[in-house]
Amino acid sequence: MTEHKTPSFSSKVGLILATAGSAVGLGNIWKFPYEAGQSGGGAFLIVYLICCLLFGLPMLMTELYIGKQSQKSAYGAFRKLSNNNRWQWMSWVCIITALLITGFYFEVTGWCFHYLFAAIGNSFKGMTAVTMQTHFAQLMSNKWALFGYSMIAVVATAGVLWFDVNKGIERLSKILMPLLLVMMILMVIRVLMLDGSHKGLEFFFKVDFSKITPNTVLAALGQCFLSLSVGLGALITYGAYMQKSQNITATSLQVVILDTAVAVLAGMIIFPAVFAFGVNPAEGPQLVFVVLPAIFEKMSFAWLSGVFFFLLLCIAAITSTISLMEVIVAFINEATAKTRHPLNRHKSVIIVSAMIMLTIGACVFREEIFNWSDDFTANILIPLNALAMTIFVGWFLPKKDLLEEFGKEKGFKHYFALCYLQIVRYFIPLTIVIIFLNGLGLWDAIQKLF
Ligand code: PHE
């Protein structure tokens, strides 16, 4: 029998960067702008920001806590903390959610690789947002090429996981984050100089409260969870790699701030450009991909800017796919550790890569599966997991341990901890239940009764 050993993050910075690396990715740069574009710009942004504070931050703390306390991945964490098998189903929901996300997430990472190669080959020269739409449509019709590009993402991710979490993830995240931020700020400055860009800023920052509907709230909530990588156990795995002395609250706060900053910067790049180029903001998943290359055409050092940005985007996507795949790898590794056929890290990586190829294939060859898994995970599975995890931590784990972790001596930390506890016990579960009831039409029915 081989002993399952939990690796650990060697430094505080490494932990924050790896968690931020998981959080910052296509969710921020690809999905956030298109969701905001479809849900009324400013109306979406404000709901999104509130969601990050009231739901995202506490959920991040909750997942890291489950991992840190149990020192297990999503597979063993619930059983270990509850001392029974009754919560084991949650591990399975986590794994299914992670698998469903891999399909569309790796596919879009494949798009990024295509754009990187196209940028290197100078294929965007002279292109406008309109001709970019044709380019995108052509890419979408070439299914095998799409599948091939996604395979690059699978190989890159599997490669990093093959060589152990610590070295791989930390090393990558340390270089990436500052570079990405600087590049995005330069792009914001450039697009704001375009004619007509102010309309985009207005669209993104002006809040029209009449546009906020229950659907906006559900979309913003799902987007906030996906963007922060919560609701599928990815951060349980990272929490398990935390050392005792590492602080959950501080890590979570920094990650939420960074993640939200990247999403807002993405909006500040995309929307001014969308209006300057006359693109429809509600265009959907292709929005970012038709607008970005056209932006580089307007920048000095067009070739270099394009190549550099798409390279950063690919790396940002890979640091996210790493944590996504790590959930499943750690699960298989831990689930088989005490059996007669333990699957070590390398074998698990190979098996998970094969599974992911299937989910990618389904998404690439069937567009409806792509759309369905994107919507179903963000709007149903992730909120459902969040509901279960908050009930688990808020109601079934000892309050004493929670306060021990988050602040037990009187003072600001203690009040923050108490506030966190109330949010996890009442606010998040109740709100998610109400949102689901509303989705089922029950809310309308209840209102009609009175
Ligand atoms: N948070 C990542 C992003 O915004 C997506 C992700 C979700 C990664 C869940 C890992 C786990 O791109």
Side-chain angles (χ1 to χ4, degrees), residues 22-28 101 105 226-229 232 234 320 323-324:
S22 165
V24 174
L26 299 174
N28 312 57
I101 293 179
Y105 203 93
L226 179 87
S227 185
L228 289 171
S229 305
L232 50 117
S320 296
S323 73
L324 196 54

Side-chain angles (χ1 to χ4, degrees), residues 320-354:
S320 296
T321 53
I322 288 168
S323 73
L324 196 54
M325 190 162 163
E326 170 73 14
V327 183
I328 316 172
V329 169
F331 185 98
I332 294 187
N333 191 207
E334 221 171 271
T336 59
K338 296 214 164 73
T339 64
R340 269 198 290 149
H341 301 288
L343 293 170
N344 64 18
R345 206 172 169 79
H346 289 176
K347 283 187 195 143
S348 309
V349 169
I350 294 172
I351 293 173
V352 177
S353 303

Side-chain angles (χ1 to χ4, degrees), residues 149-442:
Y149 288 122
S150 317
M151 286 308 111
I152 301 176
V154 175
V155 171
T157 310
V160 176
L161 288 182
W162 188 272
F163 297 106
D164 182 328
V165 271
N166 269 333
K167 289 177 235 125
I169 302 179
E170 284 179 32
R171 216 181 281 159
L172 262 180
S173 308
K174 259 181 204 163
I175 324 163
L176 166 81
M177 227 44 83
L179 280 182
L180 185 67
L181 278 178
V182 172
M183 181 70 194
M184 290 182 82
I185 292 170
L186 287 179
M187 290 169 72
V188 172
I189 297 173
R190 180 61 188 99
V191 290
L192 288 182
M193 285 165 12
L194 295 172
D195 275 348
S197 61
H198 66 276
K199 284 210 205 89
L201 279 190
E202 212 177 293
F203 174 81
F204 188 44
F205 286 118
K206 207 165 149 196
V207 184
D208 177 353
F209 286 97
S210 67
K211 282 196 184 142
I212 301 179
T213 63
N215 278 340
T216 323
V217 180
L218 180 58
L221 187 68
Q223 170 58 24
C224 150
F225 285 159
L226 179 87
S227 185
L228 289 171
S229 305
V230 296
L232 50 117
L235 298 181
I236 295 184
T237 318
Y238 279 17
Y241 303 152
M242 280 174 96
Q243 285 161 11
K244 264 246 146 338
S245 58
Q246 290 172 330
N247 184 315
I248 293 181
T249 313
T251 307
S252 309
L253 256 174
Q254 292 177 47
V255 171
V256 171
I257 291 172
L258 183 72
D259 189 72
T260 312
V262 175
V264 173
L265 277 176
M268 289 175 72
I269 294 170
I270 299 301
F271 292 114
V274 157
F275 280 83
F277 299 147
V279 175
N280 173 12
E283 182 116 351
Q286 72 262 41
L287 182 71
V288 173
F289 288 95
V290 299
V291 173
L292 279 173
I295 297 177
F296 300 122
E297 280 308 292
K298 302 263 180 213
M299 290 180 77
S300 29
F301 307 111
W303 180 83
L304 195 65
S305 317
V307 171
F308 191 51
F309 179 82
F310 281 116
L311 181 67
L312 290 177
L313 187 62
C314 287
I315 302 175
I318 294 294
T319 54
S320 296
T321 53
I322 288 168
S323 73
L324 196 54
M325 190 162 163
E326 170 73 14
V327 183
I328 316 172
V329 169
F331 185 98
I332 294 187
N333 191 207
E334 221 171 271
T336 59
K338 296 214 164 73
T339 64
R340 269 198 290 149
H341 301 288
L343 293 170
N344 64 18
R345 206 172 169 79
H346 289 176
K347 283 187 195 143
S348 309
V349 169
I350 294 172
I351 293 173
V352 177
S353 303
M355 285 157 76
I356 291 180
M357 283 182 199
L358 293 181
T359 59
I360 296 175
C363 285
V364 166
F365 291 97
R366 281 298 172 90
E367 206 184 318
E368 39 319 347
I369 298 186
F370 177 99
N371 292 331
W372 171 80
S373 49
D374 185 358
D375 289 346
F376 186 64
T377 48
N379 299 341
I380 310 278
L381 283 182
I382 294 182
L384 206 63
N385 284 343
L387 173 68
M389 282 185 206
T390 44
I391 291 178
F392 179 68
V393 168
W395 294 95
F396 288 88
L397 296 188
K399 190 174 158 188
K400 185 175 90 1
D401 293 348
L402 274 164
L403 290 180
E404 184 82 38
E405 174 69 47
F406 294 117
K408 72 175 183 313
E409 270 110 49
K410 291 254 170 294
F412 178 73
K413 265 191 163 169
H414 181 64
Y415 291 116
F416 186 82
L418 289 180
C419 190
Y420 161 77
L421 200 63
Q422 300 311 315
I423 289 185
V424 164
R425 282 190 152 190
Y426 302 102
F427 180 71
I428 296 184
L430 279 176
T431 320
I432 294 180
V433 167
I434 292 174
I435 290 177
F436 277 140
L437 289 183
N438 178 64
L440 292 173
L442 289 181

